[in-house]
Amino acid sequence: MGSGHECGPLPVIALADCNNFYVSCERVFRPSLEKRPVIVLSNNDGCAVARSNEAKAIGIPMGAPYHQIRKLCEGNGVVVLSSNYELYGDMSSRVVSVLARFAPELEVYSIDESFLDLTGVPSPLRLSTRMRDQVKQWTGIPISVGLGSTKTLAKAANRLAKKQGIGCQLVAKDDREALERIAIEDVWGIGRRLSVRLRRIGLLNAWQFARAPSPSIRAIGGVTLERTQRELGGISCLEMEEISPPRKNTCSSRSFGKPVMELEELEEAVANYAIRATRKVRSEGSLASGLQVFIMTNRFREDQPQYSNSRVLGLDEPTDDPIRIVQNAKKMLRDMYRSGYAYKKAGVILLDLVSSASRQGLLFEEHGSPRRQDFVNAVEEAASRYGGGGAFWGGQGIGKQWRMRREMRTPRYTTHWDDLPLVR
DNA sequence: TCTGGGGTCCTAGGACCC
DNA sequence: TCTGGGGTCCTAGGACCC
């Protein structure tokens, strides 16, 4: 230790990333979608958030608003699906459980990506290939695996693996040829803004970026960008995080299916979002120390008057009480509501979540009488067991004119009994 | 007519204090 | 001729990710 030489084996990080994940999930249950152009739309059937390779080849860009590509889709026989997050969430955990058999240390990074520590494995490429076959065989989901000595190099390797249609790829920190093929905007951590500024000073790809003088990098993107640069140079700055740190905030928000003018309807939507957000924190055993409510008009409509606002409230004591949160959220909404605007979106954010186990022990809480707690728990229990139809709070309303559109959703094959595929 | 949702981290600048 | 300086805390906004 401390000699400046390598001690122990060179670190090897793998990034296993599902190919076109949402589309692949749909294909598992509808094999007829294989080899056809398929896209999955975001909430509200708004944008294309997943595209099969065939759909990419047609020229459908990532994130394209559906109304802009509708003609293109119709003209090319593209299968268009609404998103089905219950299905994707369930498929995701299946994939993770297979991956976990291949490495002692695994970090679930997103719904379709996991990092694995393969340090010390004799032949990481061969292991990755076996892993990829296993995932495909057991879950039906195709994945690509990138290998590198840091997370950022593994990301870059994964990108090349996907681009070239090969399953697994390793990129070493001094592999000039490979790193030159990664455009600057495709480096993990460099988005649209930063890539423009980096291109302006002549840095066009990952190789050039990695070798640029670090003070100029820091001047452009601060310590975060400098970390990315070091990672590309093989110096690890982003550690594996096996257990994800507890969430700090949670948000529930939706665009409305139709613009909303009236306060009453907004109140209904906000009550629903508040309850959804509260259920999330309850399920994680957390309490909210504050909440934020926001509303906004459609920012794309330049012909219409715009208004957006938000209110933040600190709670005197952390809570997971839906009644209290809904009451406060509605009060905050009424406070900032202005009539005469066509509202497009609203949301509720629960802030500064703390663990309910470490609840700071007020034995005599004014609002938290045992009977009230029991009542709240009973309603929430019924709601979670039987879904929204089991029980709901008064303020949630029953009209739901503002509900989002989801007109092309496939059945929830794996999570709802009613939707199980029938075998004949 | 139609443009997603849910997160994190960092930084600059203001308020406040001594 | 020329307003003190330095620390902490908080927040809004900007950047990124999938």
Side-chain angles (χ1 to χ4, degrees):
Chain A
M1 287 286 282
S3 67
H5 295 285
E6 289 295 336
C7 39
L10 187 71
V12 179
I13 304 294
L15 174 65
D17 187 324
C18 301
N19 301 344
N20 314 329
F21 182 54
Y22 298 168
V23 168
S24 297
C25 291
E26 300 287 353
R27 279 177 168 169
V28 169
F29 295 92
R30 276 172 72 183
S32 64
L33 297 179
E34 217 63 56
K35 307 223 189 295
R36 297 185 57 185
V38 181
I39 64 173
V40 174
L41 300 179
S42 64
N43 279 319
N44 239 340
D45 293 339
C47 306
V49 289
R51 306 158 296 153
S52 71
N53 290 344
E54 297 80 5
K56 290 176 190 172
I58 288 170
I60 297 172
M62 180 63 174
Y66 180 51
H67 70 93
Q68 285 175 10
I69 55 170
R70 177 172 235 144
K71 286 245 164 60
L72 185 61
C73 291
E74 286 167 359
N76 288 278
V78 177
V79 179
V80 180
L81 302 170
S82 302
S83 42
N84 185 345
Y85 286 103
E86 285 186 61
L87 174 65
Y88 312 148
D90 185 60
M91 293 303 289
S92 173
S93 47
R94 295 185 190 197
V95 169
V96 167
S97 67
V98 180
L99 293 175
R101 304 164 72 99
F102 287 83
E105 202 179 326
L106 175 142
E107 174 189 339
V108 177
Y109 176 70
S110 74
I111 193 164
D112 69 336
E113 288 169 89
S114 292
F115 288 105
L116 296 89
D117 189 351
L118 299 187
T119 304
V121 167
S123 176
L125 258 181
R126 203 171 321 153
L127 183 84
S128 302
T129 307
R130 274 206 292 130
M131 181 165 78
R132 181 166 164 266
D133 294 343
Q134 189 88 261
V135 170
K136 174 72 177 152
Q137 192 183 341
W138 289 6
T139 70
I141 301 288
I143 67 170
S144 303
V145 185
L147 298 166
S149 58
T150 64
K151 284 180 165 180
T152 307
L153 282 167
K155 268 275 189 186
N158 192 283
R159 175 144 209 116
L160 291 180
K162 282 231 170 77
K163 209 158 107 181
Q164 295 165 86
I166 50 177
C168 309
Q169 166 105 0
L170 184 146
V171 169
K173 65 176 193 288
D174 45 14
D175 186 341
R176 176 170 185 163
E177 204 210 322
L179 291 173
E180 279 181 341
R181 288 208 308 270
I182 307 272
I184 191 73
E185 60 273 12
D186 293 336
V187 172
W188 189 40
I190 299 180
R192 243 187 58 244
R193 308 289 176 126
L194 288 173
S195 60
V196 168
R197 302 187 59 188
L198 292 168
R199 279 187 176 275
R200 220 178 278 151
I201 63 166
L203 305 178
L204 311 181
N205 58 52
W207 176 263
Q208 293 174 335
F209 170 71
R211 268 137 197 92
S214 61
S216 58
I217 297 306
R218 191 174 187 138
I220 287 177
V223 296
T224 319
L225 191 61
E226 204 180 355
R227 271 205 290 265
T228 296
Q229 189 191 30
R230 291 163 72 90
E231 280 256 319
L232 275 180
I235 300 164
S236 172
C237 303
L238 305 169
E239 299 308 316
M240 294 278 292
E241 284 178 12
E242 271 194 277
I243 40 166
S244 50
R247 207 192 302 284
K248 294 174 179 169
N249 303 304
T250 198
C251 174
S252 172
S253 79
R254 287 281 181 283
S255 298
F256 304 133
K258 293 177 181 159
V260 169
M261 306 285 296
E262 301 306 319
L263 176 61
E264 289 67 35
E265 260 190 286
L266 274 182
E267 282 190 350
E268 206 177 285
V270 162
N272 274 269
Y273 302 155
I275 286 168
R276 251 176 55 94
T278 309
R279 287 192 179 139
K280 280 198 242 179
V281 305
R282 286 177 78 93
S283 72
E284 291 172 3
S286 308
L287 305 168
S289 313
L291 73 156
Q292 181 172 6
V293 178
F294 65 87
I295 50 175
M296 57 178 72
T297 50
N298 187 343
R299 66 183 194 280
F300 296 102
R301 295 290 299 267
E302 285 168 14
D303 56 323
Q304 289 184 352
Q306 297 286 315
Y307 175 68
S308 70
N309 209 337
S310 86
R311 288 277 189 280
V312 177
L313 174 71
L315 297 163
D316 46 357
E317 175 200 343
T319 185
D320 64 357
D321 181 342
I323 301 175
R324 222 176 142 220
I325 289 173
V326 167
Q327 279 172 349
N328 278 306
K330 283 187 168 184
K331 202 185 309 160
M332 294 156 77
L333 170 68
R334 284 194 289 271
D335 197 34
M336 61 185 160
Y337 172 80
R338 301 287 178 271
S339 61
Y341 293 100
Y343 293 94
K344 179 60 182 166
K345 185 175 180 177
V348 174
I349 310 174
L350 299 184
L351 304 165
D352 303 319
L353 305 182
V354 297
S355 158
S356 53
S358 70
R359 169 182 229 148
Q360 291 181 338
L362 287 171
L363 288 175
F364 308 98
E365 305 156 56
E366 324 107 45
H367 68 276
S369 73
R371 284 186 58 176
R372 163 129 172 213
Q373 290 274 0
D374 289 348
F375 170 63
V376 166
N377 289 339
V379 173
E380 285 302 296
E381 162 75 4
S384 75
R385 191 176 309 186
Y386 305 108
F392 60 95
W393 298 101
Q396 286 187 263
I398 48 174
K400 303 205 175 170
Q401 288 297 314
W402 43 270
R403 209 184 69 246
M404 68 170 172
R405 282 188 305 274
R406 231 163 141 193
E407 286 163 1
M408 296 162 275
R409 196 188 64 198
T410 51
R412 291 157 292 190
Y413 303 103
T414 61
T415 54
H416 283 239
W417 290 110
D418 294 345
D419 292 351
L420 273 181
L422 294 177
V423 179
R424 296 169 210 274

